[in-house]
Amino acid sequence: MAMANNKTLCFTCNKDKITYPCKGCLKEFCLTHLTEHQQILNEQLNDIINVYDQFKQTINEQKQNSQNDLLINQINRWEKNSIEIIQQKAQECRRILIEYSPTFFNDIEKKFNDLSEQIKEIHSENEFNEIDLNNLKKQLIEITEELNNRSNISIQEDSQSFINKISIILSKKPKFNKWKQNAITVAGGNEEGEGLNQLDYPDGIFIDEKKNIFIADCENHRIVEWKYNAKQGQIIAGGNEKGNRMNQLNRPTHMIVDQQDHSIIIADRDNRRVIRWLNQNQQVLIKNIECYSLAMDKNRFLYVSDTEKSEVKRWKMGEYDNEGIVVAGGNGRGDQLNQFHHPNCIFIDEDESVYVSDRKNDRVMKWRKDAKEGTIVAGGNSKGANLNQLFGPQGIIVDDLSQIYVADCWNDRVMRWCEGKGEIVVGGNKRGNQSNQLNRPCGLSFDDEGNLYVVDLFNHRIEKFEIIL
């Protein structure tokens, strides 16, 4: 009866032997070389222990002779030098005052002697009147005031320091915010529908200073506003069935609230127009454009992404009768640095740089003002779920630290990108409808407290992830 062959190749000697797996590296070793492998691991452990001991010794040395000693010595030198400067200045002022005093008193005595001579002369001649007496009184008063007040000499303290100012600066690392991983549903979440407590594939979102939530309720062809802590929304634009009349919308994808006149500017995508609603009055701003997303910069220029022409254009407020200016893309559909493939969400920073979710290229692009091409600031490593990848990115926000927040739609997560590195901030717990899950997130917004709002597209809800302070 033949024996079963349970031999494999040893990783070290490459001979067919009975081998044993290493659970760490998952390689197979014969008994002899397994022992050698274990010895190598022990040596590596000893190296780590030695490094640890050296580091511990360094900590103890620095505790005993820390950098604080050097800084304290610097403070002591500043104190000594400053005291010397103050003492020198005080001595100089004393010298000036002492040298001046004899001159001052000599001048007073001279005036007093002159007055004495006048009095003697008047008294000896015995010829004087009221005018003479008043003149003598006046001179005597002036000499007395000059002696008592010394108006021609005083101490002046300058508010500007003549010693170097010293202070302690404790440099702080940038604060990387974190959020609770279980969200609160603040709008919708009552299944797909057209009721005032429901949403139907919501897309863009806007949060105002009162934490009211404005939502592009795409498949309900309306814009709804959910007041802070409200149980249902109210229709503020559209809601008159799908259509292209002035009071109708057709699958709106995004909107912004103009804080100056509180009008709502809407990307009315399937009607191929950008339209403004103000107190139920409508005005078409831009026609014949496959608009998806809108943004407004600090100078009130309006930016619109055009998915058909693979470009982002800019219009000056009130001058919508022209063709607009291309500020990103406009070189046809593609994956080059001067191209897009289905650009959707956009964000404008303080420097008027344009950030664009290049959805079908699975990347986010940054176009500086007047640039001829963009740079990849998130993704761009083909579609995927690794931390250096995106899959169908949509909503984007850039904070004051230039950190880029991306709704990584088809990976069901929101990511933060900084210096080309990505990390998951919420979601990423498989697709679902639990409070720590997302299903095709597409829109993002922050309120003034830093809470993160996410449009959870396929769950027909808006999720609020509270910031951890």
Side-chain angles (χ1 to χ4, degrees):
M1 179 175 169
M3 295 182 62
N5 184 7
N6 60 351
K7 296 182 179 181
T8 56
L9 291 177
C10 170
F11 178 78
T12 301
C13 64
N14 204 28
K15 294 181 179 179
D16 201 19
K17 294 184 177 182
I18 297 175
T19 58
Y20 305 88
C22 172
K23 293 183 178 180
C25 65
L26 301 180
K27 296 182 176 67
E28 298 281 342
F29 298 91
C30 66
L31 185 58
T32 300
H33 292 113
L34 179 64
T35 304
E36 290 181 0
H37 181 65
Q38 188 63 46
Q39 182 62 33
I40 292 172
L41 295 180
N42 287 332
E43 291 174 358
Q44 292 175 353
L45 175 61
N46 289 332
D47 290 340
I48 293 173
I49 293 173
N50 289 334
V51 173
Y52 166 81
D53 290 338
Q54 290 174 7
F55 183 73
K56 185 176 180 181
Q57 182 180 354
T58 302
I59 291 177
N60 291 331
E61 290 174 354
Q62 290 197 10
K63 284 172 64 177
Q64 295 173 1
N65 186 21
S66 66
Q67 185 187 15
N68 281 350
D69 294 339
L70 298 175
L71 297 176
I72 288 174
N73 288 336
Q74 184 177 346
I75 294 171
N76 292 340
R77 286 195 302 272
W78 170 85
E79 180 184 29
K80 180 176 180 295
N81 294 337
S82 298
I83 290 173
E84 289 178 354
I85 293 172
I86 292 171
Q87 289 175 335
Q88 290 171 3
K89 190 66 177 177
Q91 185 63 27
E92 179 185 350
C93 290
R94 291 190 196 99
R95 179 184 56 78
I96 294 173
L97 186 59
I98 291 171
E99 291 177 354
Y100 172 76
S101 291
T103 304
F104 172 75
F105 284 110
N106 287 339
D107 187 52
I108 291 291
E109 287 179 347
K110 183 178 182 301
K111 291 179 180 179
F112 184 76
N113 292 334
D114 290 343
L115 179 61
S116 178
E117 290 296 326
Q118 292 180 47
I119 293 172
K120 288 179 182 179
E121 184 179 350
I122 290 173
H123 189 267
S124 63
E125 293 179 355
N126 200 24
E127 290 186 5
F128 55 89
N129 54 36
E130 289 83 1
I131 295 175
D132 296 322
L133 294 176
N134 288 335
N135 183 44
L136 293 174
K137 287 179 182 178
K138 182 179 178 183
Q139 290 185 62
L140 184 59
I141 290 171
E142 288 177 351
I143 296 172
T144 304
E145 288 180 349
E146 186 174 350
L147 176 65
N148 292 333
N149 297 332
R150 300 197 185 190
S151 58
N152 60 342
I153 185 169
S154 62
I155 302 295
Q156 177 180 334
E157 295 187 31
D158 197 337
S159 61
Q160 294 184 347
S161 175
F162 62 92
I163 61 173
N164 293 329
K165 183 179 178 181
I166 191 172
S167 58
I168 302 296
I169 300 174
L170 300 175
S171 59
K172 296 181 179 179
K173 293 182 179 180
K175 181 181 178 183
F176 295 99
N177 292 331
K178 294 184 178 181
W179 292 265
K180 295 179 181 178
Q181 294 302 296
N182 291 291
I184 302 169
T185 300
V186 291
N190 299 301
E191 299 183 348
E192 170 188 356
E194 60 182 15
L196 291 179
N197 68 338
Q198 294 177 304
L199 298 170
D200 192 354
Y201 293 99
D203 203 328
I205 185 175
F206 182 92
I207 312 294
D208 71 8
E209 67 277 3
K210 297 180 180 179
K211 297 185 178 61
N212 300 320
I213 308 169
F214 296 80
I215 307 164
D217 192 8
C218 184
E219 295 299 332
N220 278 325
H221 315 291
R222 65 190 185 186
I223 306 297
V224 293
E225 177 186 4
W226 287 60
K227 298 289 188 181
Y228 181 59
N229 284 338
K231 300 301 181 184
Q232 64 180 29
Q234 60 186 46
I235 302 170
I236 58 173
N240 300 305
E241 299 183 347
K242 177 174 67 174
N244 59 7
R245 298 196 308 270
M246 290 295 288
N247 69 338
Q248 292 180 308
L249 299 172
N250 190 351
R251 302 187 73 229
T253 50
H254 201 268
M255 82 276 118
I256 54 178
V257 179
D258 188 340
Q259 301 288 2
Q260 284 203 2
D261 60 11
H262 302 289
S263 63
I264 313 296
I265 302 175
I266 305 166
D268 190 11
R269 184 178 62 182
D270 281 12
N271 278 328
R272 297 178 57 82
R273 65 187 183 186
V274 176
I275 187 170
R276 173 162 51 197
W277 283 59
L278 177 60
N279 299 325
Q280 296 302 313
N281 295 315
Q282 303 86 34
Q283 175 191 6
V284 175
L285 303 181
I286 305 167
K287 300 178 181 179
N288 299 320
I289 182 171
E290 193 171 296
C291 49
Y292 188 92
S293 182
L294 309 173
M296 187 179 291
D297 68 18
K298 61 184 178 182
N299 299 313
R300 292 177 51 76
F301 281 86
L302 181 66
Y303 296 72
V304 185
S305 62
D306 186 334
T307 55
E308 180 181 50
K309 294 183 178 179
S310 298
E311 65 187 15
V312 178
K313 278 188 172 182
R314 181 184 70 192
W315 280 264
K316 187 176 182 180
M317 184 66 71
E319 297 182 4
Y320 301 110
D321 53 349
N322 56 46
E323 292 296 318
I325 298 173
V326 176
V327 295
N331 299 295
R333 181 173 295 175
D335 60 1
Q336 301 302 305
L337 292 180
N338 66 344
Q339 295 178 307
F340 296 120
H341 190 176
H342 204 92
N344 51 18
C345 294
I346 54 179
F347 181 91
I348 316 299
D349 69 11
E350 284 294 310
D351 299 324
E352 298 178 40
S353 294
V354 183
Y355 294 78
V356 184
S357 289
D358 191 8
R359 186 167 70 86
K360 291 191 177 181
N361 281 326
D362 304 294
R363 65 188 185 183
V364 175
M365 302 289 290
K366 176 182 179 180
W367 286 62
R368 297 186 182 276
K369 185 178 181 181
D370 300 326
K372 300 302 180 184
E373 63 179 30
T375 57
I376 301 171
V377 293
N381 298 301
S382 72
K383 67 181 62 175
N386 294 323
L387 292 181
N388 69 337
Q389 294 178 305
L390 296 170
F391 190 1
Q394 296 210 61
I396 48 174
I397 300 173
V398 183
D399 67 13
D400 293 337
L401 297 175
S402 298
Q403 299 174 120
I404 305 161
Y405 295 82
V406 186
D408 191 9
C409 184
W410 289 84
N411 281 324
D412 306 297
R413 64 191 185 186
V414 176
M415 298 192 72
R416 172 168 54 200
W417 287 72
C418 183
E419 297 180 353
K421 298 179 181 179
E423 64 174 328
I424 301 170
V425 292
V426 296
N429 301 305
K430 298 182 179 180
R431 187 172 306 149
N433 61 4
Q434 301 302 307
S435 62
N436 69 337
Q437 293 178 308
L438 298 169
N439 191 347
R440 302 291 186 263
C442 62
L444 298 179
S445 187
F446 287 112
D447 64 23
D448 57 4
E449 294 179 352
N451 300 308
L452 174 62
Y453 295 75
V454 182
V455 179
D456 196 8
L457 179 67
F458 280 19
N459 282 325
H460 312 287
R461 65 186 184 184
I462 310 299
E463 297 288 83
K464 175 184 177 181
F465 293 88
E466 294 182 321
I467 191 170
I468 299 174
L469 299 175

